[in-house]
Amino acid sequence: MRVAERIGDTDMLGQALTRHGNELRKAGHVKAAVVRLQHAATVAAVADARGAALILLARAAGELGATPAFDEALRNHRPLLERHAGESMLFNPFTTREVELRGLLATGRTDLAVRLATVGPPPVSGPVAPQWAVIERVTVGAVLVSARLSRATDPPGPTGRPPVDLLGCRGIRST
């Protein structure tokens, strides 16, 4: 990062900040990761680089339970994704949906996560890393399990038991 700053290469700096922020998150330094990723998102000039920084920022903010930072990162990410193809490993609709599901769950918005999970993944014309495909399925499972667990605390229905729909998730109807 220091080298990129000294030579004035903002593209290199943005990438270094993004990678460093993501590694900080993985190492459990989530607050520091959020700061690095916010910086990365402000210096990244190229759409793919800024989109990657913003989606990793959303992931870290969600993990931290920082609802406003999570929502803002997604709010800034979406227009970029709509204007550009978003066909890199981190900057595409598939990865965005997975990060949004995870963040909604982490910020206590299970109902929104369930709605998003039942829509299914968006079509993607670019590469999706195999591990992201697996992670996305695990995340959808976590959302549905969380919905099922939260449903266990619902008030009883007319039969004396919590209401049940065909998918076993509150708010979802089988049609």
Side-chain angles (χ1 to χ4, degrees):
M1 290 183 304
R2 288 185 181 126
V3 169
E5 286 174 333
R6 283 189 183 160
I7 63 173
D9 188 334
T10 56
D11 289 336
M12 184 194 301
L13 178 60
Q15 286 189 16
L17 289 166
T18 298
R19 300 301 179 264
H20 188 242
N22 197 40
E23 292 304 318
L24 284 169
R25 181 194 59 78
K26 291 177 189 177
H29 305 289
V30 185
K31 287 182 183 178
V34 167
V35 171
R36 280 283 191 263
L37 291 164
Q38 285 172 329
H39 189 189
T42 61
V43 301
V46 178
D48 280 356
R50 186 156 195 260
L54 285 166
I55 204 62
L56 290 173
L57 171 58
R59 180 156 184 201
E63 197 171 303
L64 195 58
T67 303
F70 170 77
D71 291 345
E72 182 180 356
L74 281 177
R75 199 170 32 255
N76 291 330
H77 177 80
R78 280 192 185 100
L80 281 175
L81 197 57
E82 289 170 8
R83 284 194 307 267
H84 303 281
E87 294 182 355
S88 71
M89 291 290 193
L90 289 172
F91 185 52
N92 65 62
F94 187 89
T95 303
T96 299
R97 177 178 171 271
E98 192 283 330
V99 169
E100 186 171 7
L101 285 167
R102 182 185 300 259
L104 288 170
L105 197 57
T107 58
R109 297 177 283 179
T110 305
D111 55 336
L112 294 174
V114 168
R115 274 190 245 144
L116 182 60
T118 59
V119 171
V124 177
S125 60
V128 173
Q131 66 269 26
W132 276 99
V134 172
I135 291 167
E136 186 270 345
R137 297 307 335 157
V138 170
T139 301
V140 167
V143 167
L144 297 176
V145 166
S146 181
R148 181 73 184 221
L149 292 174
S150 69
R151 204 175 120 291
T153 62
D154 283 352
T159 63
R161 291 179 286 174
V164 176
D165 61 52
L166 294 176
L167 294 176
C169 298
R170 177 180 48 204
I172 301 174
R173 304 236 188 268
S174 178
T175 54

